[in-house]
Amino acid sequence: MDQGQRILPVIDLKGLALGVITRTDLLRLMTSEVTGGHEEARRRVSGLPYERNLLGIMEDRLPARAMSLVRALSNIAKDLDITVYLVGGTVRDMIMLKGVSDLDVSVAGDMTKLLEVIPQKFPVKKIKRHPRFKTATIFFEDGWKLDLSSARVEYYERPGALPVVSQASIQLDLQRRDFTINALAISLNEDDFGRLFDFYRGFQDIKEGLVRVLHSLSIIEDPTRAFRAVRFATRLGFKISKMTQGLIENAVRGGFLHNTHPRRLLTELIYVFEENETYKAMELVDHLGLLASIHPDLKLNPITKSLIRQVDRVRDWFHLTFGREGTPFWLVYFLAVTEPLSQDDLERLAKNLDVNRKEAKILINERPKLNGILARNRRRGSSEPKPSEIDKLLSPLSWPGILYLMAKSSGEFLDRAGAAYLAVYRRVTPMIDGDDLLNLGLKPGPSLQKALSALRLARLDGEVTTVEDEKAYARKNFLPPQSDSPQEVPSILAPTQAPDPQ
Ligand code: CTP
């Protein structure tokens, strides 16, 4: 397998060929201890699919906009003589009564034509094509998204390699998918519009709340599915089926995750971090050995577990205060799970995971600073720094860094200080501006900016609260006193020339 050998000839002692062992034979052997004779292994992989008409359910559960889109798509497909099916997450979420926000559609036929015609009928913002995977995403002006994939056969050149694709029918399209709950299709074609095609009992698994692979090589072929199983189980409140769990554990034990580029594993881990119930998902990721297969020292311990819970708490606060967009929260979770690693180990891991310069700046360069602040905070005693001091401490840090400090010092001073800085302090500005300072007699130049910064800090500490306060503060601190005997003023704040007499 290491050398990409597809078959192994078997000869007898005289050198006569007895037969061959294929890679699939080996993989089957490796997975047989999990699947052997088990009821789950006897999947219905051929024969007639479970069919039923879901038109009523579609009309009931798809938003009107989505319904008009799929109807239009159906008409366009008919004109172009191609077939289209609603598939994947859209069907799953619709059956489960979850909100559908984009449409996954499988296309059998010439997708290029479809991509030409759709923008003629709907206002399209942009189209993203991935010719290598024969997929495309259409972003509509009104925010809806249409993910198109070609019905295709997919085989793997070696376990963990990127899929190589070619055209085929909807059944073959479904057959290549990760879990039965994602392997459902609803026809959008004129003669059976609304008909559900279910070859793998996915409908039943949705009802029973099970995440289940379609066949026993699924995880070995694409180890990222191990992380996906965790995500779907956590998000939908499902269980990973016993057999699927066994296959994941087997793939981990067999080192198959290492066949996948580490950055792809990190991407999957980031998706896990981005789930709503991150703590729950991370417990499962850890339990299945997936974290340890990224780095042996990444197993969760009581400290990292409680830290992840705290990051969950800080994230909820953040989303409530600033909305869901804004900061890459995965960096905060990553800082939490890598807490036990030495700086050297972390640097090696980050290099292996191919983190980019911007990410490394936080994960590697900022980390010692954050630990230093936490250590100093522990020695601080009961005295609480002034807002201006908090501002000076936190303003050079990244947002993920500050959020990590908040999680790590839960309920303590730094936690409150971080929240105050992000929500209030960083937005505070003086009420007067550079023009006001010039009118007061300051001269243009860098001293103006310094004066404004000093005014901002004074305002943070409540030393000035009104425009008049600020003007008086500026006169007192940034202009030489108006008397015959000149007094010393701080050199950085001193105006370059004598103030205007008025
Ligand atoms: N898929 C797969 N194996 C993968 C990734 C994706 O088989 N490693 C298939 C699944 O059938 C999935 C479809 O491709 O339904 C689309 O992938 P994705 O958009 O990631 O899945 P969704 O089910 O739409 O998930 P989400 O709700 O998170 O968007």
Side-chain angles (χ1 to χ4, degrees):
M1 277 178 149
D2 281 351
Q3 293 168 19
Q5 187 82 17
R6 287 180 173 276
I7 54 170
L8 190 71
V10 181
I11 54 173
D12 68 10
L13 291 175
K14 292 189 197 116
L16 288 175
L18 296 174
V20 293
I21 295 173
T22 66
R23 263 181 343 161
T24 310
D25 290 333
L26 282 182
L27 293 171
R28 281 201 202 292
L29 187 70
M30 294 174 78
T31 54
S32 62
E33 74 185 65
V34 188
T35 61
H38 197 282
E39 174 57 25
E40 278 190 51
R42 292 197 284 273
R43 308 296 307 144
R44 180 145 61 102
V45 292
S46 59
L48 291 174
Y50 170 68
E51 289 186 29
R52 89 186 249 182
N53 197 320
L54 289 194
L55 183 54
I57 290 186
M58 267 172 91
E59 280 172 338
D60 192 40
R61 298 184 185 175
L62 280 185
R65 171 68 180 144
M67 200 60 206
S68 73
L69 258 176
V70 295
R71 284 216 185 271
L73 201 61
S74 171
N75 290 332
I76 297 173
K78 186 179 152 213
D79 293 344
L80 296 177
D81 198 23
I82 59 181
T83 53
V84 278
Y85 291 84
L86 214 49
V87 285
T90 309
V91 178
R92 180 197 68 219
D93 291 344
M94 190 188 74
I95 292 172
M96 289 188 69
L97 270 174
K98 301 228 169 229
V100 172
S101 57
D102 48 27
L103 298 169
D104 297 321
V105 169
S106 168
V107 182
D110 190 352
M111 193 199 286
T112 338
K113 276 197 204 139
L114 200 59
L115 292 178
E116 275 167 25
V117 176
I118 291 177
Q120 293 164 12
K121 315 246 170 188
F122 293 97
V124 164
K125 201 161 148 204
K126 70 172 175 192
I127 298 183
K128 249 173 132 176
R129 292 162 214 257
H130 308 280
R132 192 170 163 211
F133 301 114
K134 298 192 174 162
T135 61
T137 305
I138 303 181
F139 298 87
F140 294 99
E141 290 284 0
D142 63 0
W144 275 87
K145 204 175 90 183
L146 179 60
D147 276 319
L148 298 169
S149 62
S150 295
R152 62 203 184 178
V153 190
E154 189 164 291
Y155 68 91
Y156 293 79
E157 289 186 312
R158 65 183 162 78
L162 284 173
V164 179
V165 293
S166 71
Q167 296 268 350
S169 71
I170 185 69
Q171 182 176 0
L172 288 170
D173 178 298
L174 297 178
Q175 190 172 309
R176 79 190 164 85
R177 289 177 183 263
D178 49 2
F179 307 113
T180 60
I181 56 170
N182 291 336
L184 296 161
I186 296 178
S187 169
L188 301 181
N189 306 304
E190 193 188 30
D191 40 0
D192 56 357
F193 190 94
R195 180 166 293 274
L196 172 79
F197 289 86
D198 177 7
F199 297 91
Y200 304 98
R201 289 200 347 186
F203 197 80
Q204 186 66 22
D205 284 344
I206 288 181
K207 279 204 277 180
E208 288 175 20
L210 280 179
V211 176
R212 189 200 308 259
V213 287
L214 271 57
H215 58 89
S216 58
L217 299 181
S218 180
I219 305 291
I220 286 175
E221 284 174 351
D222 181 353
T224 62
R225 289 176 173 169
F227 289 89
R228 289 176 62 86
V230 171
R231 279 205 289 129
F232 289 121
T234 317
R235 190 196 310 166
L236 306 173
F238 283 13
K239 281 199 160 44
I240 300 178
S241 84
K242 234 171 135 183
M243 178 184 112
T244 303
Q245 184 156 336
L247 292 170
I248 293 173
E249 283 160 357
N250 229 15
V252 168
R253 266 202 305 276
F256 282 95
L257 270 78
H258 302 301
N259 289 341
T260 301
H261 191 285
R263 179 75 209 196
R264 277 190 82 201
L265 296 184
L266 176 62
T267 303
E268 291 301 323
L269 187 62
I270 292 173
Y271 291 147
V272 173
F273 289 149
E274 285 170 354
E275 287 295 321
N276 276 342
E277 294 190 67
T278 310
Y279 178 76
K280 218 167 135 193
M282 284 307 293
E283 270 198 317
L284 197 48
V285 163
D286 184 45
H287 175 74
L288 293 170
L290 299 173
L291 257 188
S293 64
I294 291 180
H295 188 289
D297 292 344
L298 279 191
K299 250 203 103 30
L300 297 186
N301 62 36
I303 294 174
T304 44
K305 279 187 182 182
S306 105
L307 198 46
I308 291 172
R309 273 188 189 281
Q310 290 308 328
V311 180
D312 278 353
R313 174 189 63 81
V314 172
R315 181 193 57 184
D316 292 345
W317 167 81
F318 187 88
H319 286 163
L320 210 65
T321 314
F322 299 102
R324 296 190 76 83
E325 304 298 322
T327 207
F329 242 93
W330 75 266
L331 292 167
V332 192
Y333 283 107
F334 195 84
L335 281 167
V337 292
T338 53
E339 207 247 14
L341 297 193
S342 70
Q343 187 70 9
D344 280 352
D345 279 348
L346 180 66
E347 281 180 31
R348 266 193 296 275
L349 174 66
K351 202 163 167 229
N352 188 30
L353 293 177
D354 225 3
V355 304
N356 64 33
R357 270 224 334 251
K358 224 165 131 194
E359 294 160 354
K361 221 173 134 193
I362 297 169
L363 297 177
I364 299 172
N365 304 359
E366 197 167 270
R367 188 190 194 227
K369 274 186 230 155
L370 299 174
N371 287 335
I373 292 174
L374 287 161
R376 282 198 300 283
N377 182 52
R378 278 193 288 275
R379 294 194 298 268
R380 185 181 44 84
S382 59
S383 70
E384 295 222 346
K386 292 192 290 190
S388 60
E389 288 166 325
I390 294 170
D391 186 87
K392 280 187 210 154
L393 180 74
L394 300 183
S395 59
L397 300 176
S398 69
W399 281 37
I402 296 171
L403 295 162
Y404 176 72
L405 289 181
M406 289 170 66
K408 189 87 206 247
S409 59
S410 138
E412 294 170 18
F413 159 73
L414 257 181
D415 188 8
R416 293 192 301 279
Y421 172 76
L422 290 177
V424 185
Y425 299 169
R426 73 185 170 87
R427 292 203 257 232
V428 169
T429 52
M431 279 182 281
I432 61 173
D433 59 16
D435 286 343
D436 295 319
L437 287 177
L438 289 173
N439 287 338
L440 285 174
L442 263 84
K443 294 298 163 208
S447 60
L448 217 56
Q449 192 49 50
K450 283 181 180 143
L452 284 170
S453 301
L455 261 174
R456 179 178 167 267
L457 296 179
R459 204 164 138 66
L460 272 174
D461 290 341
E463 291 171 31
V464 292
T465 52
T466 63
V467 171
E468 282 318 309
D469 283 352
E470 289 191 2
K471 285 185 178 168
Y473 186 92
R475 274 192 215 99
K476 180 167 169 234
N477 291 286
F478 314 135
L479 292 175
Q482 306 214 344
S483 74
D484 295 341
S485 52
Q487 283 179 13
E488 280 281 299
V489 287
S491 62
I492 54 158
L493 301 177
T496 46
Q497 289 176 10
D500 195 305
Q502 66 167 25

PDB file of all heavy atoms in Angstrom, residues 31-44 201 210 212-213 216 240-247:
ATOM      1  N   THR A  31     -11.141  -4.450   8.002  1.00  0.00           N
ATOM      2  CA  THR A  31     -12.396  -3.943   8.578  1.00  0.00           C
ATOM      3  C   THR A  31     -13.327  -5.081   8.983  1.00  0.00           C
ATOM      4  O   THR A  31     -14.345  -4.857   9.607  1.00  0.00           O
ATOM      5  CB  THR A  31     -13.143  -3.040   7.583  1.00  0.00           C
ATOM      6  OG1 THR A  31     -13.320  -3.765   6.378  1.00  0.00           O
ATOM      7  CG2 THR A  31     -12.389  -1.771   7.308  1.00  0.00           C
ATOM      8  N   SER A  32     -12.936  -6.334   8.658  1.00  0.00           N
ATOM      9  CA  SER A  32     -13.876  -7.429   8.865  1.00  0.00           C
ATOM     10  C   SER A  32     -14.179  -7.653  10.340  1.00  0.00           C
ATOM     11  O   SER A  32     -15.263  -8.062  10.708  1.00  0.00           O
ATOM     12  CB  SER A  32     -13.354  -8.718   8.241  1.00  0.00           C
ATOM     13  OG  SER A  32     -12.153  -9.067   8.872  1.00  0.00           O
ATOM     14  N   GLU A  33     -13.185  -7.338  11.212  1.00  0.00           N
ATOM     15  CA  GLU A  33     -13.442  -7.557  12.636  1.00  0.00           C
ATOM     16  C   GLU A  33     -14.581  -6.667  13.127  1.00  0.00           C
ATOM     17  O   GLU A  33     -15.265  -6.971  14.079  1.00  0.00           O
ATOM     18  CB  GLU A  33     -12.184  -7.307  13.468  1.00  0.00           C
ATOM     19  CG  GLU A  33     -11.844  -5.867  13.621  1.00  0.00           C
ATOM     20  CD  GLU A  33     -10.519  -5.643  14.338  1.00  0.00           C
ATOM     21  OE1 GLU A  33      -9.465  -6.026  13.785  1.00  0.00           O
ATOM     22  OE2 GLU A  33     -10.566  -5.103  15.452  1.00  0.00           O
ATOM     23  N   VAL A  34     -14.777  -5.530  12.441  1.00  0.00           N
ATOM     24  CA  VAL A  34     -15.868  -4.633  12.841  1.00  0.00           C
ATOM     25  C   VAL A  34     -17.167  -5.041  12.168  1.00  0.00           C
ATOM     26  O   VAL A  34     -18.227  -5.047  12.776  1.00  0.00           O
ATOM     27  CB  VAL A  34     -15.542  -3.178  12.439  1.00  0.00           C
ATOM     28  CG1 VAL A  34     -16.569  -2.234  13.015  1.00  0.00           C
ATOM     29  CG2 VAL A  34     -14.155  -2.797  12.858  1.00  0.00           C
ATOM     30  N   THR A  35     -17.064  -5.365  10.882  1.00  0.00           N
ATOM     31  CA  THR A  35     -18.306  -5.540  10.136  1.00  0.00           C
ATOM     32  C   THR A  35     -18.734  -6.997  10.021  1.00  0.00           C
ATOM     33  O   THR A  35     -19.886  -7.261   9.696  1.00  0.00           O
ATOM     34  CB  THR A  35     -18.141  -5.005   8.709  1.00  0.00           C
ATOM     35  OG1 THR A  35     -17.111  -5.757   8.073  1.00  0.00           O
ATOM     36  CG2 THR A  35     -17.780  -3.545   8.685  1.00  0.00           C
ATOM     37  N   GLY A  36     -17.786  -7.912  10.273  1.00  0.00           N
ATOM     38  CA  GLY A  36     -18.037  -9.318   9.976  1.00  0.00           C
ATOM     39  C   GLY A  36     -19.365  -9.817  10.518  1.00  0.00           C
ATOM     40  O   GLY A  36     -19.593  -9.827  11.729  1.00  0.00           O
ATOM     41  N   GLY A  37     -20.228 -10.241   9.641  1.00  0.00           N
ATOM     42  CA  GLY A  37     -21.475 -10.887  10.040  1.00  0.00           C
ATOM     43  C   GLY A  37     -22.469  -9.950  10.703  1.00  0.00           C
ATOM     44  O   GLY A  37     -23.562 -10.359  11.064  1.00  0.00           O
ATOM     45  N   HIS A  38     -22.072  -8.688  10.904  1.00  0.00           N
ATOM     46  CA  HIS A  38     -22.972  -7.783  11.610  1.00  0.00           C
ATOM     47  C   HIS A  38     -24.157  -7.407  10.722  1.00  0.00           C
ATOM     48  O   HIS A  38     -23.999  -7.201   9.522  1.00  0.00           O
ATOM     49  CB  HIS A  38     -22.190  -6.519  11.987  1.00  0.00           C
ATOM     50  CG  HIS A  38     -22.882  -5.724  13.043  1.00  0.00           C
ATOM     51  ND1 HIS A  38     -23.947  -4.923  12.755  1.00  0.00           N
ATOM     52  CD2 HIS A  38     -22.668  -5.608  14.365  1.00  0.00           C
ATOM     53  CE1 HIS A  38     -24.356  -4.335  13.865  1.00  0.00           C
ATOM     54  NE2 HIS A  38     -23.584  -4.744  14.857  1.00  0.00           N
ATOM     55  N   GLU A  39     -25.294  -7.295  11.369  1.00  0.00           N
ATOM     56  CA  GLU A  39     -26.517  -6.956  10.632  1.00  0.00           C
ATOM     57  C   GLU A  39     -26.331  -5.685   9.792  1.00  0.00           C
ATOM     58  O   GLU A  39     -26.724  -5.605   8.639  1.00  0.00           O
ATOM     59  CB  GLU A  39     -27.652  -6.770  11.641  1.00  0.00           C
ATOM     60  CG  GLU A  39     -28.966  -6.279  11.071  1.00  0.00           C
ATOM     61  CD  GLU A  39     -29.523  -7.185   9.980  1.00  0.00           C
ATOM     62  OE1 GLU A  39     -29.186  -8.393   9.962  1.00  0.00           O
ATOM     63  OE2 GLU A  39     -30.255  -6.672   9.147  1.00  0.00           O
ATOM     64  N   GLU A  40     -25.650  -4.688  10.417  1.00  0.00           N
ATOM     65  CA  GLU A  40     -25.470  -3.412   9.722  1.00  0.00           C
ATOM     66  C   GLU A  40     -24.676  -3.548   8.434  1.00  0.00           C
ATOM     67  O   GLU A  40     -24.807  -2.742   7.519  1.00  0.00           O
ATOM     68  CB  GLU A  40     -24.702  -2.444  10.617  1.00  0.00           C
ATOM     69  CG  GLU A  40     -25.553  -1.749  11.612  1.00  0.00           C
ATOM     70  CD  GLU A  40     -24.751  -0.645  12.259  1.00  0.00           C
ATOM     71  OE1 GLU A  40     -24.167   0.149  11.534  1.00  0.00           O
ATOM     72  OE2 GLU A  40     -24.729  -0.615  13.492  1.00  0.00           O
ATOM     73  N   ALA A  41     -23.782  -4.543   8.404  1.00  0.00           N
ATOM     74  CA  ALA A  41     -22.929  -4.695   7.231  1.00  0.00           C
ATOM     75  C   ALA A  41     -23.739  -5.128   6.020  1.00  0.00           C
ATOM     76  O   ALA A  41     -23.345  -4.907   4.885  1.00  0.00           O
ATOM     77  CB  ALA A  41     -21.835  -5.722   7.507  1.00  0.00           C
ATOM     78  N   ARG A  42     -24.893  -5.753   6.283  1.00  0.00           N
ATOM     79  CA  ARG A  42     -25.694  -6.205   5.149  1.00  0.00           C
ATOM     80  C   ARG A  42     -26.595  -5.083   4.665  1.00  0.00           C
ATOM     81  O   ARG A  42     -27.804  -5.100   4.835  1.00  0.00           O
ATOM     82  CB  ARG A  42     -26.528  -7.437   5.574  1.00  0.00           C
ATOM     83  CG  ARG A  42     -25.647  -8.655   5.837  1.00  0.00           C
ATOM     84  CD  ARG A  42     -26.476  -9.916   5.830  1.00  0.00           C
ATOM     85  NE  ARG A  42     -27.254 -10.047   7.061  1.00  0.00           N
ATOM     86  CZ  ARG A  42     -26.787 -10.613   8.167  1.00  0.00           C
ATOM     87  NH1 ARG A  42     -25.585 -11.110   8.194  1.00  0.00           N
ATOM     88  NH2 ARG A  42     -27.546 -10.704   9.234  1.00  0.00           N
ATOM     89  N   ARG A  43     -25.961  -4.060   4.137  1.00  0.00           N
ATOM     90  CA  ARG A  43     -26.713  -2.905   3.686  1.00  0.00           C
ATOM     91  C   ARG A  43     -27.429  -3.218   2.384  1.00  0.00           C
ATOM     92  O   ARG A  43     -26.980  -4.051   1.590  1.00  0.00           O
ATOM     93  CB  ARG A  43     -25.784  -1.709   3.422  1.00  0.00           C
ATOM     94  CG  ARG A  43     -24.878  -1.387   4.557  1.00  0.00           C
ATOM     95  CD  ARG A  43     -25.620  -0.950   5.786  1.00  0.00           C
ATOM     96  NE  ARG A  43     -26.550   0.144   5.496  1.00  0.00           N
ATOM     97  CZ  ARG A  43     -27.722   0.253   6.102  1.00  0.00           C
ATOM     98  NH1 ARG A  43     -28.118  -0.642   6.958  1.00  0.00           N
ATOM     99  NH2 ARG A  43     -28.498   1.258   5.814  1.00  0.00           N
ATOM    100  N   ARG A  44     -28.523  -2.523   2.191  1.00  0.00           N
ATOM    101  CA  ARG A  44     -29.210  -2.696   0.914  1.00  0.00           C
ATOM    102  C   ARG A  44     -28.523  -1.781  -0.101  1.00  0.00           C
ATOM    103  O   ARG A  44     -28.778  -0.586  -0.156  1.00  0.00           O
ATOM    104  CB  ARG A  44     -30.674  -2.284   1.085  1.00  0.00           C
ATOM    105  CG  ARG A  44     -31.481  -2.430  -0.160  1.00  0.00           C
ATOM    106  CD  ARG A  44     -32.884  -2.861   0.194  1.00  0.00           C
ATOM    107  NE  ARG A  44     -33.563  -1.892   1.044  1.00  0.00           N
ATOM    108  CZ  ARG A  44     -34.477  -1.032   0.604  1.00  0.00           C
ATOM    109  NH1 ARG A  44     -34.809  -1.029  -0.631  1.00  0.00           N
ATOM    110  NH2 ARG A  44     -35.065  -0.200   1.424  1.00  0.00           N
ATOM    111  N   ARG A 201     -31.549   3.186   3.044  1.00  0.00           N
ATOM    112  CA  ARG A 201     -32.345   3.330   4.264  1.00  0.00           C
ATOM    113  C   ARG A 201     -32.022   4.613   5.036  1.00  0.00           C
ATOM    114  O   ARG A 201     -32.061   4.648   6.266  1.00  0.00           O
ATOM    115  CB  ARG A 201     -32.168   2.111   5.179  1.00  0.00           C
ATOM    116  CG  ARG A 201     -32.817   0.845   4.661  1.00  0.00           C
ATOM    117  CD  ARG A 201     -33.039  -0.157   5.764  1.00  0.00           C
ATOM    118  NE  ARG A 201     -32.303   0.235   6.959  1.00  0.00           N
ATOM    119  CZ  ARG A 201     -32.197  -0.485   8.054  1.00  0.00           C
ATOM    120  NH1 ARG A 201     -32.804  -1.652   8.105  1.00  0.00           N
ATOM    121  NH2 ARG A 201     -31.528  -0.080   9.095  1.00  0.00           N
ATOM    122  N   LEU A 210     -29.478   8.031  13.445  1.00  0.00           N
ATOM    123  CA  LEU A 210     -28.201   7.313  13.316  1.00  0.00           C
ATOM    124  C   LEU A 210     -27.345   7.883  12.192  1.00  0.00           C
ATOM    125  O   LEU A 210     -27.832   8.129  11.088  1.00  0.00           O
ATOM    126  CB  LEU A 210     -28.464   5.845  12.984  1.00  0.00           C
ATOM    127  CG  LEU A 210     -28.846   4.936  14.146  1.00  0.00           C
ATOM    128  CD1 LEU A 210     -29.090   3.526  13.642  1.00  0.00           C
ATOM    129  CD2 LEU A 210     -27.755   4.930  15.217  1.00  0.00           C
ATOM    130  N   ARG A 212     -24.568   6.749   9.804  1.00  0.00           N
ATOM    131  CA  ARG A 212     -24.096   5.430   9.399  1.00  0.00           C
ATOM    132  C   ARG A 212     -23.472   5.510   8.003  1.00  0.00           C
ATOM    133  O   ARG A 212     -24.044   6.124   7.092  1.00  0.00           O
ATOM    134  CB  ARG A 212     -25.321   4.497   9.342  1.00  0.00           C
ATOM    135  CG  ARG A 212     -25.009   3.050   9.154  1.00  0.00           C
ATOM    136  CD  ARG A 212     -26.215   2.309   8.632  1.00  0.00           C
ATOM    137  NE  ARG A 212     -27.453   2.474   9.361  1.00  0.00           N
ATOM    138  CZ  ARG A 212     -27.935   1.586  10.230  1.00  0.00           C
ATOM    139  NH1 ARG A 212     -27.272   0.505  10.491  1.00  0.00           N
ATOM    140  NH2 ARG A 212     -29.100   1.804  10.813  1.00  0.00           N
ATOM    141  N   VAL A 213     -22.301   4.910   7.857  1.00  0.00           N
ATOM    142  CA  VAL A 213     -21.659   4.918   6.533  1.00  0.00           C
ATOM    143  C   VAL A 213     -22.385   3.957   5.604  1.00  0.00           C
ATOM    144  O   VAL A 213     -23.125   3.077   6.052  1.00  0.00           O
ATOM    145  CB  VAL A 213     -20.168   4.510   6.607  1.00  0.00           C
ATOM    146  CG1 VAL A 213     -19.319   5.592   7.216  1.00  0.00           C
ATOM    147  CG2 VAL A 213     -19.994   3.190   7.324  1.00  0.00           C
ATOM    148  N   SER A 216     -18.228  -0.453   4.271  1.00  0.00           N
ATOM    149  CA  SER A 216     -17.208  -0.574   5.315  1.00  0.00           C
ATOM    150  C   SER A 216     -15.870   0.084   4.959  1.00  0.00           C
ATOM    151  O   SER A 216     -15.014   0.213   5.813  1.00  0.00           O
ATOM    152  CB  SER A 216     -16.989  -2.046   5.654  1.00  0.00           C
ATOM    153  OG  SER A 216     -16.611  -2.725   4.483  1.00  0.00           O
ATOM    154  N   ILE A 240     -23.606   7.917  16.457  1.00  0.00           N
ATOM    155  CA  ILE A 240     -22.855   7.286  15.374  1.00  0.00           C
ATOM    156  C   ILE A 240     -23.107   5.787  15.521  1.00  0.00           C
ATOM    157  O   ILE A 240     -22.972   5.240  16.623  1.00  0.00           O
ATOM    158  CB  ILE A 240     -21.344   7.590  15.495  1.00  0.00           C
ATOM    159  CG1 ILE A 240     -21.112   9.103  15.420  1.00  0.00           C
ATOM    160  CG2 ILE A 240     -20.559   6.862  14.422  1.00  0.00           C
ATOM    161  CD1 ILE A 240     -19.670   9.535  15.580  1.00  0.00           C
ATOM    162  N   SER A 241     -23.525   5.120  14.443  1.00  0.00           N
ATOM    163  CA  SER A 241     -23.886   3.705  14.571  1.00  0.00           C
ATOM    164  C   SER A 241     -22.668   2.917  15.065  1.00  0.00           C
ATOM    165  O   SER A 241     -21.529   3.332  14.860  1.00  0.00           O
ATOM    166  CB  SER A 241     -24.365   3.150  13.230  1.00  0.00           C
ATOM    167  OG  SER A 241     -23.259   2.750  12.451  1.00  0.00           O
ATOM    168  N   LYS A 242     -22.960   1.792  15.695  1.00  0.00           N
ATOM    169  CA  LYS A 242     -21.897   0.984  16.307  1.00  0.00           C
ATOM    170  C   LYS A 242     -20.847   0.592  15.264  1.00  0.00           C
ATOM    171  O   LYS A 242     -19.647   0.679  15.500  1.00  0.00           O
ATOM    172  CB  LYS A 242     -22.521  -0.280  16.899  1.00  0.00           C
ATOM    173  CG  LYS A 242     -22.193  -0.475  18.352  1.00  0.00           C
ATOM    174  CD  LYS A 242     -23.001  -1.584  18.908  1.00  0.00           C
ATOM    175  CE  LYS A 242     -22.097  -2.462  19.735  1.00  0.00           C
ATOM    176  NZ  LYS A 242     -22.797  -3.610  20.271  1.00  0.00           N
ATOM    177  N   MET A 243     -21.363   0.162  14.103  1.00  0.00           N
ATOM    178  CA  MET A 243     -20.436  -0.278  13.073  1.00  0.00           C
ATOM    179  C   MET A 243     -19.573   0.883  12.591  1.00  0.00           C
ATOM    180  O   MET A 243     -18.359   0.771  12.451  1.00  0.00           O
ATOM    181  CB  MET A 243     -21.212  -0.859  11.887  1.00  0.00           C
ATOM    182  CG  MET A 243     -20.316  -1.299  10.759  1.00  0.00           C
ATOM    183  SD  MET A 243     -21.288  -1.866   9.367  1.00  0.00           S
ATOM    184  CE  MET A 243     -20.968  -0.613   8.175  1.00  0.00           C
ATOM    185  N   THR A 244     -20.201   2.038  12.367  1.00  0.00           N
ATOM    186  CA  THR A 244     -19.447   3.198  11.877  1.00  0.00           C
ATOM    187  C   THR A 244     -18.392   3.615  12.902  1.00  0.00           C
ATOM    188  O   THR A 244     -17.259   3.930  12.550  1.00  0.00           O
ATOM    189  CB  THR A 244     -20.426   4.353  11.567  1.00  0.00           C
ATOM    190  OG1 THR A 244     -21.382   3.866  10.632  1.00  0.00           O
ATOM    191  CG2 THR A 244     -19.717   5.550  10.992  1.00  0.00           C
ATOM    192  N   GLN A 245     -18.783   3.579  14.180  1.00  0.00           N
ATOM    193  CA  GLN A 245     -17.826   3.929  15.230  1.00  0.00           C
ATOM    194  C   GLN A 245     -16.638   2.972  15.201  1.00  0.00           C
ATOM    195  O   GLN A 245     -15.480   3.387  15.307  1.00  0.00           O
ATOM    196  CB  GLN A 245     -18.529   3.884  16.587  1.00  0.00           C
ATOM    197  CG  GLN A 245     -17.617   4.324  17.700  1.00  0.00           C
ATOM    198  CD  GLN A 245     -18.400   4.829  18.899  1.00  0.00           C
ATOM    199  OE1 GLN A 245     -19.544   5.270  18.767  1.00  0.00           O
ATOM    200  NE2 GLN A 245     -17.797   4.771  20.069  1.00  0.00           N
ATOM    201  N   GLY A 246     -16.939   1.680  15.035  1.00  0.00           N
ATOM    202  CA  GLY A 246     -15.873   0.683  14.953  1.00  0.00           C
ATOM    203  C   GLY A 246     -14.960   0.938  13.765  1.00  0.00           C
ATOM    204  O   GLY A 246     -13.735   0.831  13.873  1.00  0.00           O
ATOM    205  N   LEU A 247     -15.545   1.332  12.647  1.00  0.00           N
ATOM    206  CA  LEU A 247     -14.742   1.599  11.449  1.00  0.00           C
ATOM    207  C   LEU A 247     -13.835   2.809  11.658  1.00  0.00           C
ATOM    208  O   LEU A 247     -12.696   2.839  11.204  1.00  0.00           O
ATOM    209  CB  LEU A 247     -15.654   1.827  10.236  1.00  0.00           C
ATOM    210  CG  LEU A 247     -16.433   0.593   9.759  1.00  0.00           C
ATOM    211  CD1 LEU A 247     -17.478   0.990   8.717  1.00  0.00           C
ATOM    212  CD2 LEU A 247     -15.492  -0.457   9.193  1.00  0.00           C
TER     213      LEU A 247
END
